[in-house]
Amino acid sequence: MAGKATSEAPASGRDETVPESESAKVPTTGPSGEAAASESTGEEQAREPQGPAAQAPAPTAPAPPVAPAAPEASAATKPAPASEDVPSSPLLLTVVDVSHNSVTVSWEPPERLGRLGLQGYVLEFCQEGASEWVPVTPRPMMVTQQTVRNLALGDKFLLRVAAVSSAGAGPPALLDQPVHIQEIIEAPKIRVPRHLRQIYVRLVGESINLQIPFQGKPKPQASWTHNGQALDSQRVSVRSGDQDSILFIRSAQRSDSGCYELTVRLEGLEAKATIDILVIERPGPPKSIRVLDVWGCNAALEWTPPQDTGNTELLGYTVQKADKKTGQWFTVLERYHPTTCTISDLIIGNSYSFRVFSENLCGLSDSATATKELAHIRKADITAKPQGFIERDFSEAPSFTQPLADHTSTPGYSTQLFCSVRASPKPKIIWMKNNMDIKGDPKYRALSEQGICTLEIRKPSPFDSGIYTCKAVNVLGEASVDCRLEVKASATH
């Protein structure tokens, strides 16, 4: 029977420890007082045989962290288990994770599980400066990773774990260093809202309320500065919480403009963020304005920039005019940047006044600077100055722009000859046949209109064939063109 138990114990131990390593992530319950007393008694009995196997039957003194007196008396009455019956010390006891209220440790199974098999592990802790070891669970657990929970900040304690069989607990494995529970430090970080990443503009008299969130554990210390100097506590109030810092100014003044820097510090670490605030108001009017010149329907103005721009740059000037008759002001130019301008389209006979406003992000200045003198638009004396007219001489000798063309005609059908001539004065047109003047011959009719010369031959016959000439004559000269006319006789059968 003993040999069978010995062979089954290691197998039983392996089968139970392998799956239990996966269950290490399951949170365990807090320590129990009653379970601590009973398990402590079993552990003291198991820890007594610390020497080699040959010395196991003789009980030895308890380990330095001793249990209460009552368990020692019961241990004296019971015989100490043989070293082969109890498992050896667990291996590689290591701290896996430490948080602000818990600690997780893991270990490896012992090399020797004992002849009676492994029933589980007992994890115990002992506060620094105390002698009592308190079990984490009321009974042994078949896991190789456990978490001690519900710890307080500042706790400092030792941890040990022992393997337990039916014969008792084996020698424990002890952590080399005590575990210190302290709050996890999270580096500070400032989250500046998007609308504060550019210049934050407020008007004079408005309130300023900046809420800047930040991160960090434990609670970091937040501080503000204005242009590198400490804040004026009479004007600025600051309230800092665990996750944000609020800067409040009830009524902003121009002196509150500048660079505000938030610094968040935490145990040597710090984060900074800067916020630029600009407090503005309406600008003052231009210093002076005058009329430079008046001509025709135009007036030229000039003015000087205002002395106070309202703590911000100007967007331009607004120029207005008013005539003396109605006194109503009309805007001529808006957001005009230069300090000189010309006002046009003024009505003749009227007298005008001009005024100029300054403008920035807050709007127009409360008042305007007006011209002291009026601009009188007078009716100018118009005198006609006729220029001498030089008459151009268009006189020209005759020249033909379109000559006569040779022509063939059929007997019995009237035909016409055409040409065009240019001349000044108007030329005299003479038609000739074979250099003989044909004027007055009823067979021919000559026309001349707009320089187009036409000769009509009525029902020509072969006898009318020949050289026809058109001559143009004026006082400046003469020109002529000619052509050949052929009248073909009808064919006879």
Side-chain angles (χ1 to χ4, degrees):
M1 295 294 291
K4 182 177 180 181
T6 304
S7 62
E8 290 180 356
S12 174
R14 289 190 186 95
D15 291 341
E16 293 179 355
T17 55
V18 171
E20 290 300 325
S21 61
E22 298 179 357
S23 64
K25 298 180 181 179
V26 180
T28 61
T29 58
S32 174
E34 296 177 3
S38 60
E39 295 298 334
S40 175
T41 304
E43 281 189 48
E44 290 301 327
Q45 295 174 359
R47 282 199 303 272
E48 289 178 0
Q50 298 264 346
Q55 300 176 358
T60 58
V66 296
E72 288 184 4
S74 61
T77 59
K78 296 181 181 180
S83 59
E84 293 82 1
D85 295 338
V86 296
S88 60
S89 174
L91 305 175
L92 303 177
L93 178 59
T94 309
V95 176
V96 176
D97 182 42
V98 179
S99 69
H100 65 283
N101 63 354
S102 65
V103 59
T104 301
V105 293
S106 66
W107 58 89
E108 296 294 332
E111 294 181 354
R112 188 181 69 252
L113 301 179
R115 291 185 301 178
L116 301 180
L118 188 65
Q119 292 185 345
Y121 301 92
V122 173
L123 179 65
E124 298 176 316
F125 71 95
C126 177
Q127 295 287 350
E128 188 178 39
S131 59
E132 181 181 3
W133 287 89
V134 180
V136 175
T137 56
R139 60 181 60 86
M141 302 288 292
M142 282 298 296
V143 295
T144 58
Q145 179 172 309
Q146 276 189 276
T147 300
V148 184
R149 302 183 185 278
N150 301 326
L151 300 175
L153 289 176
D155 284 352
K156 199 170 185 181
F157 52 87
L158 293 171
L159 285 173
R160 71 180 184 183
V161 62
V164 180
S165 68
S166 58
L174 184 67
L175 281 178
D176 297 336
Q177 299 291 334
V179 178
H180 189 194
I181 301 300
Q182 54 187 357
E183 190 167 4
I184 303 301
I185 296 177
E186 180 181 345
K189 184 181 296 184
I190 301 175
R191 303 286 188 181
V192 180
R194 184 180 298 274
H195 69 282
L196 296 178
R197 297 177 188 175
Q198 54 190 359
I199 298 178
Y200 185 58
V201 180
R202 304 298 290 172
L203 303 183
V204 170
E206 292 184 343
S207 62
I208 298 177
N209 188 9
L210 306 181
Q211 183 177 6
I212 311 300
F214 56 78
Q215 298 175 348
K217 288 185 179 181
K219 177 183 176 181
Q221 297 296 323
S223 60
W224 289 83
T225 59
H226 177 209
N227 294 330
Q229 304 296 326
L231 298 179
D232 183 2
S233 59
Q234 296 181 353
R235 290 194 43 77
V236 184
S237 60
V238 175
R239 183 186 65 82
S240 298
D242 295 339
Q243 298 180 348
D244 59 12
S245 181
I246 298 176
L247 182 143
F248 180 74
I249 301 176
R250 184 173 300 277
S251 179
Q253 301 297 326
R254 289 169 62 168
S255 59
D256 296 325
S257 302
C259 178
Y260 288 79
E261 184 177 70
L262 171 62
T263 303
V264 178
R265 294 184 177 86
L266 176 61
E267 297 189 8
L269 303 175
E270 70 176 15
K272 294 184 178 182
T274 58
I275 300 171
D276 294 321
I277 297 179
L278 181 63
V279 182
I280 62 176
E281 60 183 343
R282 292 178 182 268
K287 293 181 181 179
S288 62
I289 181 175
R290 63 190 183 98
V291 179
L292 292 178
D293 191 14
V294 178
W295 73 100
C297 298
N298 309 296
L301 306 177
E302 182 183 32
W303 60 88
T304 55
Q307 184 175 2
D308 182 13
T309 62
N311 201 31
T312 183
E313 62 181 7
L314 294 177
L315 297 179
Y317 302 94
T318 297
V319 183
Q320 295 181 341
K321 68 177 180 180
D323 63 90
K324 185 178 179 181
K325 295 179 180 179
T326 62
Q328 294 181 353
W329 291 98
F330 297 92
T331 299
V332 180
L333 299 172
E334 288 184 308
R335 293 196 175 182
Y336 184 76
H337 290 279
T339 55
T340 59
C341 71
T342 300
I343 308 301
S344 304
D345 300 329
L346 301 177
I347 299 175
I348 295 176
N350 286 357
S351 298
Y352 289 90
S353 296
F354 303 94
R355 67 181 183 182
V356 179
F357 291 89
S358 304
E359 184 178 2
N360 63 6
L361 288 174
C362 293
L364 298 177
S365 55
D366 294 329
S367 60
T369 303
T371 54
K372 296 179 180 179
E373 66 277 5
L374 297 176
H376 302 283
I377 309 301
R378 295 184 176 87
K379 185 176 181 180
D381 296 332
I382 301 175
T383 304
K385 296 180 180 180
Q387 296 181 354
F389 178 73
I390 301 175
E391 185 177 0
R392 182 177 177 183
D393 185 11
F394 291 97
S395 299
E396 183 180 0
S399 62
F400 284 89
T401 59
Q402 181 67 37
L404 292 171
D406 294 341
H407 192 68
T408 301
S409 180
T410 303
Y413 294 93
S414 298
T415 186
Q416 292 178 338
L417 302 177
F418 298 95
C419 66
S420 62
V421 66
R422 185 176 66 185
S424 181
K426 184 177 180 180
K428 180 181 179 182
I429 304 300
I430 302 172
W431 286 94
M432 295 180 293
K433 174 188 176 186
N434 297 329
N435 294 326
M436 297 293 292
D437 190 354
I438 59 175
K439 182 179 181 181
D441 190 338
K443 192 176 184 65
Y444 303 100
R445 188 175 69 159
L447 301 173
S448 178
E449 185 178 358
Q450 298 293 328
I452 305 299
C453 302
T454 305
L455 178 65
E456 182 180 357
I457 306 171
R458 299 170 179 173
K459 295 182 180 182
S461 63
F463 175 78
D464 294 321
S465 300
I467 303 299
Y468 287 84
T469 303
C470 180
K471 180 185 289 187
V473 180
N474 69 0
V475 295
L476 298 178
E478 63 180 30
S480 62
V481 292
D482 52 21
C483 70
R484 178 178 293 277
L485 175 64
E486 182 180 356
V487 181
K488 293 185 179 182
S490 302
T492 59
H493 299 279

